[in-house]
Amino acid sequence: FSEGCATYCNSVGQILFYTGGDTIYDRTHKPMPNGGVDMYGSTSSSIQSSVFVPVYGDTNTYYAFLNAGRNTASLVGYAYYGKIDMTLNSGLGDVSGPLIDLITGTSERLTAVKHCNGKDHWVLTNNHETNAFYAFRVTRCGVMDTVISIVGPPGTICTPVNQLKASPKGDKLSTVATQTVS
């Protein structure tokens, strides 16, 4: 893939599925039946185009978060998600149900980190060229508890093209920011 991608493996390192942002492939390297239909991303629209999050206590259900990054014409990106059900497609998995819009106006950043409760996850992104960061909590019940954090002094913007990285403990977040002078 030319930019961001994501892979999910089982506990012994076997690939279950992967994506470059526009199509979700199964372990046989074929597109999941619904993994390419209405997928809004592209293989060159975002540095961090995708992330997969497992559902705690359910080895057959995962969430695929996809970040279309910035549209060349409008410079506005968008993120969305879908649910992967590994019991479908003869055990190779498929995207079950429609994709759900998460946020419009994203940068090219998208990452996930485990919640401190050891069960849930946080999916993180930020608004295009602002200092507003969005955290979406992913639980067994779905995606909920959106937290918006404004980081840095007034006039701080995050450049649109770079990565977002969470520390292993989930207590720190890093990216590149600049401060404008007015």
Side-chain angles (χ1 to χ4, degrees):
F1 301 108
S2 61
E3 282 196 78
C5 60
T7 304
Y8 202 88
C9 298
N10 64 16
S11 62
V12 294
Q14 297 168 321
I15 291 176
L16 296 180
F17 43 84
Y18 61 96
T19 186
D22 65 341
T23 302
I24 299 176
Y25 296 90
D26 65 29
R27 68 176 172 262
T28 67
H29 313 294
K30 293 184 177 138
M32 289 183 176
N34 293 310
V37 177
D38 294 329
M39 304 294 274
Y40 306 121
S42 78
T43 58
S44 184
S45 66
S46 181
I47 290 172
Q48 291 180 298
S49 66
S50 46
V51 66
F52 296 117
V53 176
V55 172
Y56 179 78
D58 184 347
T59 59
N60 290 311
T61 307
Y62 303 83
Y63 283 98
F65 289 86
L66 303 152
N67 183 14
R70 298 176 308 137
N71 175 292
T72 305
S74 66
L75 295 180
V76 174
Y78 43 91
Y80 52 97
Y81 68 95
K83 191 181 279 190
I84 296 174
D85 183 342
M86 294 302 292
T87 65
L88 300 176
N89 191 25
S90 302
L92 295 173
D94 196 5
V95 178
S96 64
L99 297 176
I100 299 168
D101 291 334
L102 191 61
I103 183 176
T104 300
T106 61
S107 67
E108 293 194 19
R109 297 176 192 79
L110 181 70
T111 194
V113 64
K114 200 160 207 169
H115 189 283
C116 64
N117 68 12
K119 299 176 183 177
D120 303 334
H121 285 80
W122 289 103
V123 174
L124 307 154
T125 188
N126 92 291
N127 199 289
H128 174 72
E129 292 190 348
T130 72
N131 59 346
F133 286 80
Y134 293 77
F136 303 93
R137 188 172 174 187
V138 182
T139 73
R140 278 184 71 91
C141 298
V143 180
M144 54 188 55
D145 298 336
T146 304
V147 176
I148 302 170
S149 301
I150 305 301
V151 179
T156 300
I157 63 168
C158 292
T159 56
V161 183
N162 58 54
Q163 296 182 3
L164 188 60
K165 179 69 177 163
S167 66
K169 287 185 177 181
D171 58 346
K172 293 178 179 68
L173 191 62
S174 175
T175 193
V176 175
T178 58
Q179 185 169 0
T180 59
V181 179
S182 53

